[in-house]
Amino acid sequence: LAKTTQPISMDSYEGQEVNITCSHNNIATNDYITWYQQFPSQGPRFIIQGYKTKVTNEVASLFIPADRKSSTLSLPRVSLSDTAVYYCLVAPMDSSYKLIFGSGTRLLVRP
Amino acid sequence: DAGVIQSPRHEVTEMGQEVTLRCKPISGHDYLFWYRQTMMRGLELLIYFNNNVPIDDSGMPEDRFSAKMPNASFSNLKIQPSEPRDSAVYFCASSPAGTPGNEQFFGPGTRLTVL
């Protein structure tokens, strides 16, 4: 499984756009990129998943360049409630369901 | 749907005691996962089941840990005997069959403290 690297922590202010970049240099052709969010004292929650280019949903956008060696999770206009740990994962398209969670990025949104 | 249900939410026990953690996955989901989260090691996959059959238990730390899924609605994770280093938050997650790397739905977790 491809290893991912992301910043340990980030700070932001309410109303700002936050971009968290994840590096996955060894991503394989059949890998998807998935992001999860974890609030304190809760289990992780799926945010968004993509394979290439751009994916957008009601929560976030995911930008994936052509070489797919990195991806950027974009959170528009964050609020205090977006304070959480964000995990970038790479999951193969084959029958393996083994998700490997790294250390994640601890996002702190300040008023 | 109530989501993934775990019980108990908190468990405090003494070293050497048997601990049983329980999970009810989302109805209709074919996959069930057990994870452990600690500050030191982060979120680790312990074992996962497909249609009640264990597929990969390579993350189970040692023989003191065992997990069963007797039917599609229930799984348990047992630790016998428990040790202080087993203290962690244990999460159960489930996901439907379909595209691999599919979305996993996590329960609220069980916080285990072994004294």
Side-chain angles (χ1 to χ4, degrees):
Chain A
L1 293 173
K3 179 179 167 57
T4 61
T5 303
Q6 53 184 122
I8 293 174
S9 63
M10 293 181 69
D11 278 15
S12 183
Y13 291 92
E14 280 191 295
Q16 288 189 332
E17 177 184 79
V18 171
N19 295 310
I20 306 175
T21 296
C22 178
S23 174
H24 27 79
N25 290 320
N26 296 324
I27 191 168
T29 304
N30 61 349
D31 284 344
Y32 275 117
I33 299 153
T34 307
W35 286 79
Y36 280 76
Q37 173 191 55
Q38 185 176 22
F39 297 115
S41 303
Q42 294 187 26
R45 181 176 75 115
F46 173 95
I47 303 177
I48 197 166
Q49 184 179 76
Y51 183 77
K52 62 180 178 181
T53 63
K54 177 184 173 183
V55 179
T56 297
N57 62 23
E58 65 279 3
V59 176
S61 294
L62 179 60
F63 298 91
I64 305 169
D67 66 6
R68 304 200 326 123
K69 292 185 184 298
S70 67
S71 59
T72 298
L73 175 73
S74 181
L75 305 172
R77 301 178 60 81
V78 294
S79 63
L80 297 178
S81 62
D82 292 316
T83 293
V85 178
Y86 292 83
Y87 297 95
C88 165
L89 298 90
V90 172
M93 286 170 58
D94 61 22
S95 59
S96 168
Y97 278 71
K98 200 165 180 173
L99 295 183
I100 308 297
F101 285 81
S103 302
T105 297
R106 194 170 294 274
L107 173 65
L108 174 62
V109 180
R110 301 178 188 273
Chain B
D1 198 318
V4 175
I5 299 173
Q6 291 188 247
S7 64
R9 293 294 310 276
H10 301 273
E11 176 81 29
V12 179
T13 190
E14 292 189 345
M15 183 173 63
Q17 297 297 306
E18 178 179 289
V19 173
T20 299
L21 311 180
R22 298 175 178 81
C23 174
K24 177 178 168 56
I26 293 172
S27 177
H29 282 192
D30 298 285
Y31 288 83
L32 183 140
F33 309 82
W34 281 101
Y35 291 86
R36 176 173 69 174
Q37 186 170 39
T38 62
M39 288 295 292
M40 290 296 294
R41 299 175 66 89
L43 194 60
E44 305 172 278
L45 177 65
L46 300 178
I47 184 172
Y48 78 91
F49 297 81
N50 180 19
N51 291 323
N52 314 336
V53 176
I55 302 301
D56 186 339
D57 65 355
S58 59
M60 296 286 263
E62 47 198 275
D63 292 345
R64 298 185 297 106
F65 286 68
S66 63
K68 287 186 167 56
M69 191 165 185
N71 58 61
S73 303
F74 176 75
S75 175
N76 62 36
L77 177 69
K78 285 190 179 181
I79 308 173
Q80 167 62 18
S82 58
E83 297 182 3
R85 59 191 168 123
D86 302 330
S87 296
V89 180
Y90 291 80
F91 290 104
C92 176
S94 69
S95 73
T99 306
N102 210 348
E103 177 179 355
Q104 293 188 11
F105 295 80
F106 282 75
T110 295
R111 182 174 296 276
L112 172 66
T113 303
V114 183
L115 302 173

